[in-house]
Structure formats: structure tokens, C-alpha cells
Amino acid sequence: KRSLLNSSLAFTTNGYNSITEWFDPESDTSNVGTLTPYTDLESREAKYTFTTNLSHKFSSRLSNQTGIIVDYLDFTARARQADDPMEPLEEFLDVNGNTYFLQSYTQSIYQLSPRLRLQAGRNLEYFGINEETTLEPRAGLSWQVRPALTFGLGYGRHSRREDLKVYFFNYEDDNGNIRTNEDLKRSKADHYVASVNWNITSTLRFQVEAYYQRLFDVPVIVDSSYSFANYTQLWELDEQITNEGTGTNQGVDITLEQSFRNNYYYLLTASVFDSKYVGGDGIERNTLFNRGYLGTLTAGKEFVIRRKRKNRVNLLGFNVNLNYLGGQRITPFLREESLREEEAILDYDQLYSNQTDPELWINVGITYRINRQNSTTTWGLDFQNATLNEQLQGYEYNFFTQE
């Protein structure tokens, strides 16, 4: 067949709910007390998706896939918070609505020569809330120098929308009018990649990939260090958001992978990277995620314990996952202000300027597997964070020690 048409319908949904409470002890040394509501956060997003694409092979050297994706999005978000343990929850966010996201794309693969292949295409996207249309070109070149050695170059522009509730945060403009951020554009990034892939043997692969990403149109707050390049959950923002932010990500990833063979496997990776952003104040800083380096080792081995019959084998397996990475980026706090206000006051002028100690995380798994001719039974035992490492989650004021 020279042409193939595929179409599909899909429905996905996700939700988030978080409830936190104040704890009021009966005395300074007591673990007994009462709980009163502090925050109640809830959101939901449902997506209905229609996809259709046409694949066509023009010749042995040229093929193309063209298609469209239509997303209908429905969302709700509600948030309440109490300013004091004795006060009731007050609602500061209550939004719901729907919108749509349209995508059309086309991608062609052209075999320039037996060892040189070109992929090129583009995405055209339209977002209903801000009525923004974006064009995203993409291209890749692959050169097979030898049967087991391949070099690659790639470029692509990608964009990302924010959580739908963000577009409906209220703020007061210079004239005293209450407005929303529905005209906020999507974040965009140009990605550049160069890679080397070497199949050392039929089961052993070595890969090196260098990348550079240029971020632009990143949402920020004017004259502030705040940038959407860092946040993971956002429920309230009463200031205007603009698209004046930028950023860069660059690094090198190295991978050595041994596929499962002779009852063992391993995957060794190492990454060195740098991640910076420029907020609404025009100052370049580390991003929250700029740990600097990451090394991982995942390995496993299975031992044949017993063969009862030809079609039944009992196997005992050991698996380990090690992660060694740079420390978290943290923001120092202002000590005098924090003591006076009895809460942690961060120094936002020094956002993410400090870094904690490097972290080592070890996960260990043991499995016992029985392979039969028509079925497999597996028992497993996992030890997550086997070394009981602790991770800093931020600063809180201690009312008992008053520091």
C-alpha cells in the first residue's frame, strides 16, 4: 500500500486536589492538639481529541505524513485559604471554562543517498484562549558513516501552553481595571541537537548527544525575578504576566546501554548541563532545575534457580538503580525579617543562588519469577531510597525555638 489513512478519537482527564491544615498544639511540648483548615486546592482538566493523518510513500526514497489534531479542553479550578488558624477559608480562585487547540502538521523523509537521510516538516498550531497562531519548523539530518556508526543533526521549534487556570488570574491594571491574562502567549524554544550513535555490538550501544535550547516568550512578571521557567504549581498571581522572559539550556548526555543478554543488563548515563533564565528584571539567574550534573546506573542480573521441567524455569533477579546528582537550587532567606515576621522571608534578589550538597539515591529490587509455557508469575520486593536520604523541601519558621 502506498497510502494509509488513520483516524482516532480519545478522551483523557486529570485532576489535582490538595488539603492542608494548621496544627495547634495544646502546649509547647505537646504532640496533641487540634487541626483547622489552611488551604483547599482543586483542579480538573478534561480533553477530547480527534486525530487523523495520511501517510503516503511517493517512492522508495520519499515518504510523507500529514495530519491534523483537534483538542477540545474543559477545565475547572477552585482554591481557598485561611490567613489565620481561627479564620474560615476564603476563596481566592474560582474559574471554569472551555477552549480548543488546533494542530496541523506535515513531515517528509527523503533518502538523499544510501547513507544520508533528511527529515523535514512543520507544525502549525492555534490556541483558542489567546487566539495565537504559531509556526514550528523542524528538520533532522542523519548520516550513517558505517553500518554501526551514525551522526545526526537536528533543529526544532516547540511551544508550550500554561495551565489553563493561569490565563484567568485577575490583576489590576494602571487604570484600576480588573483584567485577566487571556492574551498571554505560549512559551517557545528553539532546540539544536548533535548526536553520535555507535552500535558497538548487537546488544551494546554507545551514544553522545549535545544540545542547546534558546527559550523566548517565557511568561514573567515585570521588574521581578519571577519566571514561569521555574514554577511547578501556581494557584495565585495578582500581577500582570508578560512574555518578556528568555532562557537557555545546554549540555551533553552520554549513554552506554547493554541490552538484556546472558541474563543481565545495564544502562549507564551521565549528563553535564547548565540552565539559565532571565526574569522580568532583566537579570540572568540559575533556574530551579540547574543542578549541573547527573549520573545514573541501572543494572540487573537473573539467576536460574531451578528447572523442574523443560517448559518451567524459576529465576531469582536482582536490580539496582543509582542516581548521583548535583544539589538542589535554593533561595537564601532574610534572617532578621523572618524572625520579625515569624515566617520564612526569602531573598528573591538572590533567587536560586545557593545549592545544597550533592545527592545519592539508591533503589534496590529483588524478584522471583516462574516462567511456564503459557503463563508467568512474578513476586517482587522493592527498596526505594535504600540509604534513607533526606531532601530539603524549603524553610519553615519554628515557633518552638523561634528561629
Side-chain angles (χ1 to χ4, degrees):
K1 294 182 179 180
R2 296 175 62 87
S3 299
L4 180 64
L5 179 66
N6 286 315
S7 298
S8 66
L9 284 171
F11 170 76
T12 58
T13 184
N14 63 79
Y16 175 87
N17 184 239
S18 173
I19 297 175
T20 58
E21 298 176 310
W22 297 91
F23 175 68
D24 184 20
E26 293 181 352
S27 67
D28 290 347
T29 59
S30 174
N31 289 326
V32 179
T34 57
L35 293 172
T36 55
Y38 173 49
T39 62
D40 183 2
L41 311 175
E42 182 179 7
S43 67
R44 180 191 61 82
E45 181 177 313
K47 181 169 69 172
Y48 305 83
T49 302
F50 170 71
T51 302
T52 185
N53 62 72
L54 176 65
S55 300
H56 183 74
K57 188 174 183 179
F58 294 93
S59 67
S60 60
R61 299 174 62 183
L62 178 62
S63 62
N64 174 270
Q65 184 180 88
T66 299
I68 60 171
I69 302 173
V70 179
D71 291 329
Y72 176 80
L73 306 167
D74 183 80
F75 66 96
T76 60
R78 186 167 180 255
R80 299 183 298 160
Q81 179 172 310
D83 294 330
D84 186 270
M86 303 305 295
E87 295 181 0
L89 293 173
E90 294 186 4
E91 189 171 81
F92 62 87
L93 178 66
D94 185 13
V95 297
N96 63 81
N98 54 72
T99 188
Y100 53 92
F101 183 49
L102 309 178
Q103 303 175 70
S104 70
Y105 65 91
T106 183
Q107 176 176 289
S108 297
I109 301 176
Y110 185 57
Q111 197 72 35
L112 299 172
S113 71
R115 295 187 177 184
L116 196 61
R117 186 177 66 175
L118 174 67
Q119 290 180 273
R122 63 102 184 115
N123 277 29
L124 185 64
E125 301 174 345
Y126 179 82
F127 188 33
I129 288 181
N130 58 13
E131 300 182 347
E132 179 188 16
T133 301
T134 57
L135 178 64
E136 301 177 351
R138 295 165 190 178
L141 186 65
S142 176
W143 178 29
Q144 189 177 29
V145 182
R146 298 176 182 175
L149 182 63
T150 303
F151 292 95
L153 293 173
Y155 163 77
R157 174 167 292 183
H158 302 267
S159 59
R160 186 194 72 176
R161 68 169 174 85
E162 308 304 328
D163 286 341
L164 295 177
K165 63 179 181 291
V166 170
Y167 297 94
F168 298 93
F169 286 165
N170 293 325
Y171 71 93
E172 185 177 327
D173 66 15
D174 295 336
N175 298 320
N177 300 315
I178 302 301
R179 303 174 63 89
T180 64
N181 292 285
E182 294 178 60
D183 59 350
L184 186 69
K185 293 189 290 186
R186 292 186 297 151
S187 302
K188 302 173 185 65
D190 287 325
H191 295 219
Y192 303 87
V193 180
S195 64
V196 178
N197 193 81
W198 179 24
N199 294 319
I200 301 173
T201 68
S202 61
T203 59
L204 184 61
R205 181 177 68 92
F206 177 74
Q207 184 179 42
V208 178
E209 182 176 281
Y211 63 89
Y212 176 81
Q213 300 172 359
R214 182 183 70 91
L215 284 65
F216 61 101
D217 281 351
V218 179
V220 296
I221 298 176
V222 177
D223 297 328
S224 166
S225 61
Y226 192 91
S227 170
F228 277 47
N230 297 305
Y231 94 94
T232 54
Q233 278 286 346
L234 185 63
W235 287 89
E236 183 180 19
L237 199 59
D238 58 1
E239 299 182 61
Q240 183 182 6
I241 308 171
T242 68
N243 289 99
E244 298 177 5
T246 60
T248 58
N249 297 311
Q250 54 190 322
V252 177
D253 297 332
I254 302 174
T255 301
L256 181 64
E257 180 180 17
Q258 171 65 61
S259 303
F260 193 79
R261 180 173 180 263
N262 296 331
N263 286 356
Y264 79 95
Y265 73 94
Y266 63 82
L267 175 64
L268 181 65
T269 67
S271 299
V272 179
F273 55 90
D274 184 52
S275 179
K276 295 287 199 303
Y277 82 98
V278 177
D281 56 7
I283 299 174
E284 184 180 67
R285 295 180 175 88
N286 293 299
T287 68
L288 172 64
F289 313 103
N290 193 19
R291 290 176 176 258
Y293 57 88
L294 167 65
T296 67
L297 172 63
T298 302
K301 172 70 176 176
E302 283 189 338
F303 299 90
V304 177
I305 303 301
R306 164 170 69 170
R307 293 181 184 269
K308 280 193 172 182
R309 293 180 293 273
K310 184 177 180 181
N311 59 357
R312 174 170 173 174
V313 180
N314 294 11
L315 299 165
L316 178 65
F318 296 92
N319 300 278
V320 63
N321 172 248
L322 287 80
N323 297 273
Y324 184 73
L325 62 162
Q328 297 181 82
R329 287 288 171 179
I330 58 174
T331 302
F333 64 91
L334 300 169
R335 183 174 181 81
E336 296 302 323
E337 288 85 342
S338 299
L339 292 175
R340 184 172 57 251
E341 299 294 331
E342 295 187 334
E343 64 175 322
I345 306 297
L346 300 182
D347 184 0
Y348 288 103
D349 288 336
Q350 303 296 323
L351 196 67
Y352 309 131
S353 60
N354 291 354
Q355 192 170 13
T356 61
D357 293 333
E359 300 174 6
L360 175 63
W361 299 87
I362 301 177
N363 306 313
V364 179
I366 302 174
T367 60
Y368 188 77
R369 184 155 54 95
I370 302 174
N371 286 343
R372 301 181 180 88
Q373 184 173 358
N374 297 315
S375 65
T376 298
T377 303
T378 303
W379 287 273
L381 181 63
D382 284 332
F383 300 91
Q384 299 293 318
N385 189 18
T387 54
L388 301 179
N389 266 1
E390 295 182 351
Q391 190 175 64
L392 180 68
Q393 294 298 313
Y395 302 106
E396 291 289 343
Y397 182 79
N398 190 322
F399 288 91
F400 295 138
T401 62
Q402 293 187 346
E403 57 182 19

